[in-house]
Amino acid sequence: MESVKIIECPRDAMQGIKTFIPTAQKAAYIQALLRVGFDTIDFGSFVSPKAIPQMRDTAAVLDQLDLSQTTSKLLAIIANTKGAEIASTHSQIDYLGFPFSISENFQMRNTHKTIAESLITLEEILSIADKSNKEVVAYLSMGFGNPYGDRWNVEIVSQWTEKLAAMGVKILSLSDTIGSSTPEVIQYLFSHLVAQYPQIEFGAHFHTTYDKWFEKIDAATQAGCRRFDGAIQGFGGCPMAKDELTGNMPTEKLLSYFTGNKINTHLNPLSFESAYNVASKLFGKYR
């Protein structure tokens, strides 16, 4: 049976919430997710507390997790070299996630760096990851379109993929930061890139409105993508993007699609239901 990797993103779900979620409640939710069987959990970030106040307790959350009974790996988002250095000191973390935008405007908005400066940062992060036995997941923000007026087309995405591949990036997740992707663009990009760069594991980090989830998953799957990011019930979105958040891809929709198409997700249905219920309580209280 064919299989896919599902990456659950509680960090993405929580980071835009203004009210601070107590550390113990964050840890309890992530602990519930660790029992489900996700390939990876994007659990927190080592970024400026001023930029993302919700994530200021990521190290404390990590200390409260019991990883002895899980197969899931942990991913932390970092925005600069300092964040990578801090994250690299935690042996429990497997992946360093770096958002790299092909939109100059969004890169400045997201990390306060130009694209040129971000390339230097990425080189440094790759070196830190190599020395600390971690792997880098690069996110190609604005991978499916650009609302900020910068020039965008599929060739530009291909050019950046080639550049990042040459730098040694092995996992590249195309990010639909504001939910603007269409099935045609999704299909075109994944079908071409997956074939052209067999050494790279391509992922899809979709933000979506409720009526578009199926066509996005379907287009990416048909085009050869086998790595998908999601957040239970579609909670969250990117606080550095537009003011109105487009929600994350609901994990239950990923599960529904892949189960219906007889593709193995490696998830435990009962543990997923339990985590889903924890999410309902947590995000019902903190929005």
Side-chain angles (χ1 to χ4, degrees):
M1 184 190 265
E2 216 178 346
S3 67
V4 289
K5 292 180 180 178
I6 296 186
I7 289 74
E8 179 63 22
C9 304
R11 183 268 320 163
D12 208 346
M14 291 188 272
Q15 67 179 3
I17 295 172
K18 301 282 192 290
T19 307
F20 187 73
I21 302 168
T23 303
Q25 290 186 39
K26 286 191 183 104
Y29 178 44
I30 294 166
Q31 195 67 54
L33 295 172
L34 286 166
R35 293 189 277 270
V36 177
F38 293 108
D39 180 82
T40 304
I41 295 178
D42 173 356
F43 82 102
S45 60
F46 292 91
V47 296
S48 162
K50 284 183 184 171
I52 311 283
Q54 189 64 256
M55 292 291 110
R56 65 179 184 264
D57 62 344
T58 290
V61 169
L62 187 58
D63 287 341
Q64 291 190 21
L65 299 178
D66 176 6
L67 302 172
S68 63
Q69 303 294 314
T70 188
T71 57
S72 298
K73 304 175 198 74
L74 292 180
L75 180 149
I77 294 290
I78 43 102
N80 53 37
T81 310
K82 182 185 174 188
E85 285 169 347
I86 295 168
S88 71
T89 65
H90 297 277
S91 60
Q92 309 99 306
I93 294 172
D94 301 281
Y95 298 110
L96 306 180
F98 180 67
F100 180 84
S101 180
I102 57 177
S103 154
E104 193 82 66
N105 280 317
F106 188 71
Q107 193 67 22
M108 287 295 294
R109 188 169 172 156
N110 203 23
T111 65
H112 305 295
K113 282 186 167 61
T114 63
I115 287 177
E117 289 168 332
S118 296
L119 278 173
I120 295 166
T121 300
L122 179 55
E123 286 223 27
E124 293 167 347
I125 290 167
L126 284 162
S127 174
I128 291 165
D130 191 47
K131 288 173 189 158
S132 56
N133 199 29
K134 304 197 187 305
E135 209 166 342
V136 172
V137 177
Y139 295 86
L140 212 56
S141 302
M142 303 297 155
F144 297 100
N146 189 311
Y148 296 109
D150 303 289
R151 189 166 158 265
W152 185 94
N153 57 47
V154 290
E155 281 71 35
I156 291 172
V157 177
S158 298
Q159 286 161 15
W160 280 112
T161 301
E162 189 175 340
K163 194 173 283 254
L164 298 191
M167 290 172 71
V169 170
K170 298 281 196 307
I171 305 173
L172 186 61
S173 201
L174 303 186
S175 296
D176 182 12
T177 315
I178 58 152
S180 62
S181 63
T182 63
E184 294 75 25
V185 170
I186 292 168
Q187 208 280 334
Y188 182 90
L189 282 173
F190 281 117
S191 61
H192 282 74
L193 295 176
V194 168
Q196 199 172 346
Y197 299 96
Q199 78 278 24
I200 291 182
E201 180 182 336
F202 285 96
H205 183 98
F206 292 126
H207 289 178
T208 185
T209 50
Y210 201 75
D211 58 331
K212 304 283 188 190
W213 67 267
F214 182 89
E215 63 184 39
K216 291 175 194 271
I217 302 172
D218 189 54
T221 305
Q222 300 295 337
C225 179
R226 293 296 178 267
R227 177 189 175 96
F228 291 83
D229 290 9
I232 286 175
Q233 297 183 46
F235 291 123
C238 181
M240 296 303 172
K242 288 182 163 181
D243 294 331
E244 279 186 43
L245 300 187
T246 305
N248 280 297
M249 175 61 71
T251 311
E252 61 274 16
K253 298 302 185 188
L254 289 169
L255 194 51
S256 161
Y257 176 88
F258 294 126
T259 304
N261 284 280
K262 297 185 169 44
I263 297 172
N264 193 356
T265 62
H266 309 286
L267 304 190
N268 180 308
L270 288 176
S271 296
F272 181 79
E273 189 178 338
S274 175
Y276 186 97
N277 292 336
V278 176
S280 294
K281 286 180 191 164
L282 184 69
F283 294 104
K285 187 174 181 182
Y286 301 100
R287 281 191 179 273

